[in-house]
């Protein structure tokens, strides 16, 4: 009898717990994820809106008579388009793409468009992802996207090699949106792994993945953060979607139910378990998060771009938002990215003018070396953050995470090199025996043992 009387109390506790979870989840916004990240500068974020426009141009049939151009146009010269390939040329293996030679910015750009909802071949690429099926240099990647990236590389590496040979100072840029973002992220890995075929150095390759699908394991996402950059607008659902995409498309008719199931799964899964799962896929590389809405406030605000190379807390939770799908559109990404860049540039110009007004005695002109010094400083800051992220991955015991040495390379032992030009080992770290031998050699170089058995510093000849 007492048990039956206690049932209403248990039901009340259960309902209160569920209500509290729903309330917290509804108040959870994308701004919380990146609130502790650093702010991106205009120099590093400048290519993003430009790459967005180039990807948008892939949708056009004739660049000389564009139909979907954003305000201000694409800013492209149609004569600099090297090649374009559509679905017929690609045999359904990948979405349409374009190679563009940008002489104004000294860049060779390969841009891949996103998912076409009317094309069955795009779904076949996206849903071809059995866990553990595709391995790449000690990590896991999306199987269908890896096949698509391999098809593009085999088809175009000779064209890219010729362009690089004719323009040796140009950067090689891979850009894509949504499905195309996953393709270019894995295409970047293949390009780094086959630099001898392209005739290019690692520091001349960059990738900009806009609203990417989760396509590589955590160790790869962090390891290639010096080359791959992912851009996410506010509440975009795709970079946060951890559920199998096959299930996602089967349940599109009941999207609220799916979101609740995914949120419950992500919330109830321990973070340690997620990090230790080597087959769990993540958004690739360095993350740029565009935040332009604040909780419990109406309307859009001037966007802020935050950037980091996070290890834990890497877009692990779905955001319950009415903008979760609209934030995925490349049109909105281009618009908000350009607005954010204008805001940052305006703030920088205002600050510079204030400094000039305070320094009346100095000649009012921009130093010629200012831009170069800032770029070097920015590269140094990114390098430090990148190495800190790698060390964090090692500290969290992420499978196949490598720790950098004091010289900025990876301490690994193996025959040959991997896609990053780094030596690899059969395991993640040096064995205990190797560590002990290294320590004993170090001690032997610095200390001697005296007659009483105590260790003393070696005497050096001056």
């Amino acid at each position: 009898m007492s048990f039956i009387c206690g049932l209403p109390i248990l039901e009340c506790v259960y309902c209160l717990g569920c209500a509290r979870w729903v309330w917290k989840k509804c108040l959870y916004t994308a701004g919380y994820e990146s609130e502790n990240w650093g702010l991106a500068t205009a120099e590093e974020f400048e290519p993003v809106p430009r790459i967005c426009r180039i990807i948008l141009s892939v949708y056009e049939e004739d660049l000389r008579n564009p139909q979907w151009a954003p305000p201000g146009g694409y800013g492209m010269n149609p004569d600099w388009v090297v090649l374009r390939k559509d679905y017929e040329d690609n045999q359904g293996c990948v979405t349409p793409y374009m190679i563009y030679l940008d002489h104004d910015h000294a860049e060779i750009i390969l841009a891949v468009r996103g998912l076409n909802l009317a094309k069955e071949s795009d779904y076949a690429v996206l849903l071809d992802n059995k866990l553990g099926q595709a391995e790449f240099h000690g990590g896991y990647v999306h199987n269908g996207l890896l096949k698509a990236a391999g098809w593009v590389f085999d088809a175009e590496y000779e064209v890219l090699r010729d362009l690089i040979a004719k323009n040796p100072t140009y950067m090689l840029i891979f850009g894509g949106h949504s499905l195309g973002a996953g393709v270019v992220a894995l295409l970047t890995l293949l390009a780094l792994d086959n630099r001898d075929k392209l005739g290019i150095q690692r520091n001349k390759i960059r990738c900009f993945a806009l609203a990417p699908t989760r396509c590589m394991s955590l160790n790869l996402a962090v390891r290639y953060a010096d080359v791959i950059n992912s851009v996410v607008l506010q509440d975009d659902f795709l970079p946060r979607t951890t559920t199998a995409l096959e299930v996602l498309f089967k349940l599109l008719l009941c999207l609220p139910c799916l979101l609740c199931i995914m949120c419950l799964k992500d919330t109830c899964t321990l973070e340690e378990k997620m990090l230790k799962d080597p087959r769990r896929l993540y958004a690739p590389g360095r993350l740029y998060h565009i935040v332009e809405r604040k909780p419990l406030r109406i309307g859009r605000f001037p966007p802020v771009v935050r950037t980091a190379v996070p290890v834990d807390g890497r877009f692990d939770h779905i955001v319950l938002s009415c903008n979760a799908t609209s934030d995925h559109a490349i049109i909105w990404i281009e618009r908000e990215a350009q607005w954010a860049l204008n805001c940052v540039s305006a703030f920088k110009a205002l600050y510079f003018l204030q400094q000039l007004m305070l320094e009346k005695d100095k000649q009012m002109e921009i130093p010629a070396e200012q831009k170069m010094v800032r770029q070097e400083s920015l590269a140094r800051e990114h390098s430090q953050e990148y190495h800190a992220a790698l060390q964090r991955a090692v500290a969290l015991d992420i499978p196949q995470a490598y720790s950098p040495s004091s010289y900025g390379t990876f301490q690994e032992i193996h025959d040959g090199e991997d896609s990053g030009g780094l030596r690899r080992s059969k395991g993640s770290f040096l064995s205990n025996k190797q560590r002990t031998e290294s320590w004993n050699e170090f001690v032997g170089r610095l200390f001697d043992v005296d007659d009483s058995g105590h260790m003393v510093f070696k005497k050096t000849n001056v």
Side-chain angles (χ1 to χ4, degrees):
M1 188 68 179
S2 58
F3 175 76
I4 297 176
C5 294
L7 285 179
I9 299 177
L10 293 175
E11 291 178 358
C12 291
V13 172
Y14 177 78
C15 292
L16 288 174
C18 292
R20 179 178 178 273
W21 176 84
V22 171
W23 176 252
K24 289 183 65 177
K25 201 63 184 178
C26 289
L27 290 180
Y28 179 83
T29 63
Y32 294 148
E33 298 169 320
S34 58
E35 59 183 350
N36 296 323
W37 297 4
L39 295 177
T41 62
E43 290 84 356
E44 62 180 305
F45 197 70
E46 181 273 332
V48 173
R50 179 162 47 84
I51 298 298
C52 286
R53 290 189 286 270
I54 293 177
I55 297 172
L56 273 170
S57 68
V58 182
Y59 291 81
E60 297 283 358
E61 295 182 0
D62 184 6
L63 277 179
R64 301 184 187 278
N65 300 293
Q67 298 180 357
W68 320 104
Y74 293 112
M76 298 172 58
N77 186 342
D79 296 330
W80 294 349
V81 176
V82 178
L83 63 84
R84 295 170 57 99
K85 288 192 176 180
D86 54 19
Y87 283 103
E88 295 181 358
D89 301 321
N90 299 338
Q91 304 171 10
C93 296
V94 67
T95 54
Y97 61 87
M98 174 180 64
I99 296 180
Y100 179 70
L101 191 60
D102 191 347
H103 294 289
D104 291 337
H105 299 90
E107 293 172 346
I108 303 168
I109 303 173
L110 193 154
V112 184
R113 60 159 284 178
L115 174 74
N116 186 342
L117 296 175
K119 286 291 183 180
E120 183 180 351
S121 58
D122 287 1
Y123 291 102
V125 172
L126 192 60
L127 303 182
D128 180 12
N129 184 34
K130 295 181 180 179
L131 290 179
Q133 183 176 350
E135 295 186 49
F136 190 91
H137 289 290
Y140 290 90
V141 295
H142 190 288
N143 188 59
L145 296 178
L146 181 62
K147 291 180 180 178
W151 191 95
V152 176
F153 184 82
D154 292 338
E156 308 302 345
Y157 81 88
E158 293 182 352
V159 176
L160 295 176
R161 182 180 59 196
D162 294 340
L163 292 175
I164 293 169
K166 294 177 182 177
N167 306 277
T169 61
Y170 283 24
M171 293 287 295
L172 177 59
I173 305 293
F174 297 107
H177 169 249
S178 186
L179 175 64
V183 172
V184 297
L186 299 186
L187 180 59
T188 303
L189 268 60
L190 294 176
L192 291 170
D193 194 38
N194 296 274
R195 295 196 309 274
D196 54 338
K197 290 186 177 181
L198 296 175
I200 191 172
Q201 299 177 353
R202 179 186 176 93
N203 60 2
K204 286 289 186 179
I205 301 176
R206 286 291 179 273
C207 173
F208 292 92
L210 312 175
T213 180
R214 297 166 76 100
C215 59
M216 61 180 66
S217 55
L218 185 57
N219 62 328
L220 296 178
V222 176
R223 197 189 310 169
Y224 291 93
D226 61 326
V227 178
I228 303 176
N229 306 283
S230 293
V231 181
V232 179
L233 175 59
Q234 189 83 21
D235 302 330
D236 188 0
F237 75 98
L238 191 59
R240 299 178 171 88
T241 304
T242 56
T243 304
L245 291 173
E246 183 177 359
V247 178
L248 174 65
F249 284 98
K250 284 182 179 179
L251 297 180
L252 277 180
L253 295 178
C254 189
L255 188 58
C257 298
L258 174 66
L259 290 177
C260 290
I261 293 173
M262 294 170 64
C263 289
L264 279 171
K265 181 181 178 182
D266 291 340
T267 305
C268 298
T269 304
L270 296 177
E271 187 174 5
E272 293 81 4
K273 184 178 180 181
M274 292 190 296
L275 293 175
K276 297 295 177 61
D277 184 2
R279 299 178 181 180
R280 185 181 176 90
L281 303 183
Y282 292 83
R286 169 178 288 274
L287 298 180
Y288 288 88
H289 193 201
I290 306 175
V291 180
E292 39 85 27
R293 289 188 301 273
K294 299 181 180 179
L296 303 179
R297 296 190 184 182
I298 301 175
R300 294 174 179 262
F301 295 84
V304 175
V305 183
R306 299 168 181 160
T307 181
V309 186
V311 181
D312 40 349
R314 192 182 182 89
F315 290 155
D316 284 328
H317 299 285
I318 292 288
V319 178
L320 295 179
S321 168
C322 58
N323 302 103
T325 55
S326 62
D327 285 344
H328 184 68
I330 189 172
I331 297 177
W332 277 110
I333 296 175
E334 187 275 334
R335 191 173 303 177
E336 297 298 332
Q338 186 62 56
W339 189 11
L341 182 62
N342 293 340
C343 291
V344 174
S345 300
F347 177 79
K348 181 180 178 182
L350 179 62
Y351 176 79
F352 183 72
L353 288 175
Q354 290 176 345
Q355 295 299 315
L356 288 179
M357 294 176 66
L358 293 175
E359 300 177 3
K360 296 180 180 180
D361 297 334
K362 295 184 178 181
Q363 189 176 3
M364 296 185 66
E365 60 181 13
I366 301 176
E369 298 182 357
Q370 181 184 20
K371 183 176 181 180
M372 182 179 298
V373 171
R374 176 54 188 152
Q375 289 177 341
E376 293 176 354
S377 173
L378 181 64
R380 185 164 55 251
E381 293 171 5
H382 277 198
S383 178
Q384 294 172 352
E385 186 179 8
Y386 169 60
H387 284 77
L390 287 165
Q391 293 173 344
R392 173 66 174 165
V394 172
L396 292 174
D397 198 19
I398 306 298
Q400 293 292 320
Y402 306 138
S403 176
S405 73
S406 58
Y407 297 98
T409 57
F410 296 87
Q411 289 290 75
E412 305 158 22
I413 300 176
H414 196 273
D415 296 332
E417 293 185 347
D418 72 351
S419 60
L422 313 172
R423 289 193 171 278
R424 292 173 41 80
S425 64
K426 294 181 180 179
S428 303
F429 313 98
L430 296 176
S431 65
N432 292 332
K433 181 179 179 181
Q434 290 171 317
R435 290 178 178 177
T436 303
E437 291 176 352
S438 300
W439 174 253
N440 291 338
E441 292 175 359
F442 173 75
V443 172
R445 289 196 302 267
L446 297 180
F447 297 94
D448 278 331
V449 179
D450 59 12
D451 297 336
S452 60
H454 297 290
M455 299 182 67
V456 295
F457 279 103
K458 284 185 177 182
K459 295 182 180 181
T460 56
N461 298 325
V462 182

